[in-house]
Amino acid sequence: MTRMVRTALLVIVLGVLAGAALLAGQRYLEDRVGHAVETTLTELPGILRVTYGGVRVDVVDRTADVHDLTLVAAAGGPAFRVRRLHVRDYRAGERLPERLEVELHDVEWVRGGDAFIHRLLEDALQGPVLGDVSLAMRVDADSGRVSLERLVVALLSGDELRVRAHLRPATRKAWSGCGGSLCAPVLEWLDARWHGGDLVRSLLGRLARQRGMARDTLVAVIASELDRATAQWQGAMADGSVDALQRFLRDPGMLRLQVAPDNPVALVPLWQRMLVNPPGALQQLAPALAYRATQHDPDDGLAVD
């Protein structure tokens, strides 16, 4: 009996010690993660201000959660609220992480930015602009190439944007000299898919009512304008792209954008050229649009390597 009591006491003591060690380890990891978050926030460009509520670490799964974030862009830019940022995988690099996989839950566009678009989206969604974001990326340490393996923006309306891409710096070490922001990114390849849900239909309906016309009439007007622009721009977009966009507006399904230019495109000069010469910018970008009526999107084998 005495031996049994001693064994039980030993098990209890060991359990308490193990629990205390686990809690201490969790506290230590949360302090480290909190410090890393603070360091990251200080390195963000001045145009973005971020605050957060707290950090929680799962010692067993080695994952971290950052709660109650607010992201506010300067000069009247948009402000977002994030209920929880879940870090699934992280490996540090020089300026950008070598590997990053995160999930942002309940991302809400609170205010700021283009007031007309914000109000229009809230009216179309009949509530806040709310959804989830998932991101997975890796950076090659030698070349600086950013492989965007997965960027998914899923709105509660059922609409979803999926993006994969290759980006690289304009010069070999450009990322490390940009004060924490992406400096002079060059686009090598992009595949984006918009799965239309209630948002597209509702937006078109509300825009039509504002103009005193039926939704189908507005779609026909937009389609006509696209045909006119295509004729003026003389093949700036690939064959079938305008038709794909017109079909998507009539019946929102899946609209796929692929960009694979012969030569990588510097995005900042491209944006500047888009403002003054849209046809020339499109020809340089060489976008191709494709449409699928069904929401089903099987894996087509494309990968970001």
Side-chain angles (χ1 to χ4, degrees):
M1 179 66 69
T2 303
R3 180 177 297 177
M4 291 178 60
V5 172
R6 289 177 177 175
T7 302
L9 290 175
L10 180 60
V11 169
I12 292 173
V13 171
L14 290 176
V16 171
L17 291 175
L22 187 63
L23 290 175
Q26 178 169 325
R27 180 64 178 176
Y28 171 72
L29 288 175
E30 287 178 351
D31 288 342
R32 286 191 58 187
V33 172
H35 177 71
V37 171
E38 294 288 349
T39 301
T40 302
L41 295 184
T42 60
E43 294 180 348
L44 289 175
I47 61 173
L48 182 65
R49 180 171 56 85
V50 181
T51 59
Y52 70 99
V55 173
R56 181 73 174 176
V57 173
D58 190 315
V59 179
V60 178
D61 292 339
R62 297 190 63 82
T63 60
D65 292 295
V66 183
H67 295 273
D68 302 323
L69 289 97
T70 59
L71 297 86
V72 181
F80 297 91
R81 181 164 47 236
V82 182
R83 179 176 59 85
R84 180 169 64 96
L85 185 150
H86 180 62
V87 183
R88 298 176 58 87
D89 187 13
Y90 175 79
R91 275 173 275 174
E94 290 184 9
R95 177 66 68 176
L96 298 176
E98 289 185 3
R99 173 73 186 177
L100 177 65
E101 187 171 353
V102 299
E103 297 171 354
L104 290 81
H105 298 274
D106 294 342
V107 182
E108 180 181 355
W109 183 0
V110 182
R111 65 183 183 278
D114 191 303
F116 172 76
I117 294 177
H118 188 197
R119 184 171 60 254
L120 188 65
L121 288 174
E122 286 192 326
D123 290 343
L125 294 169
Q126 297 182 356
V129 184
L130 188 67
D132 297 332
V133 179
S134 175
L135 168 67
M137 59 172 279
R138 55 187 170 89
V139 179
D140 182 79
D142 295 326
S143 67
R145 171 193 276 184
V146 177
S147 295
L148 188 62
E149 298 173 338
R150 182 184 71 253
L151 172 61
V152 181
V153 180
L155 299 179
L156 295 185
S157 62
D159 296 80
E160 183 179 87
L161 173 66
R162 290 179 171 268
V163 180
R164 293 180 291 179
H166 276 162
L167 296 167
R168 65 172 175 80
T171 59
R172 187 176 182 84
K173 294 297 183 181
W175 295 146
S176 61
C178 296
S181 61
L182 296 184
C183 180
V186 173
L187 177 66
E188 295 181 340
W189 177 87
L190 178 140
D191 183 291
R193 308 181 190 196
W194 178 270
H195 296 258
D198 294 336
L199 176 59
V200 177
R201 295 182 180 87
S202 183
L203 274 176
L204 290 172
R206 290 177 180 274
L207 286 172
R209 286 193 293 274
Q210 288 180 3
R211 288 158 176 77
M213 61 179 67
R215 176 181 175 274
D216 291 344
T217 303
L218 176 62
V219 171
V221 171
I222 296 175
S224 176
E225 291 297 325
L226 287 171
D227 286 333
R228 185 177 297 110
T230 303
Q232 293 176 350
W233 293 358
Q234 298 178 348
M237 297 183 69
D239 292 341
S241 292
V242 173
D243 178 67
L245 182 56
Q246 291 171 337
R247 294 173 64 192
F248 177 78
L249 293 174
R250 295 188 187 100
D251 180 23
M254 193 274 284
L255 186 67
R256 180 179 183 182
L257 168 65
Q258 290 180 287
V259 177
D262 294 333
N263 298 305
V265 177
L267 294 182
V268 174
L270 177 71
W271 174 249
Q272 295 171 343
R273 188 177 185 185
M274 182 71 73
L275 296 176
V276 298
N277 183 15
L282 285 175
Q283 285 179 335
Q284 183 182 2
L285 200 59
L289 290 174
Y291 169 79
R292 183 182 295 142
T294 176
Q295 295 292 327
H296 180 56
D297 183 21
D299 183 10
D300 58 6
L302 284 174
V304 178
D305 297 320

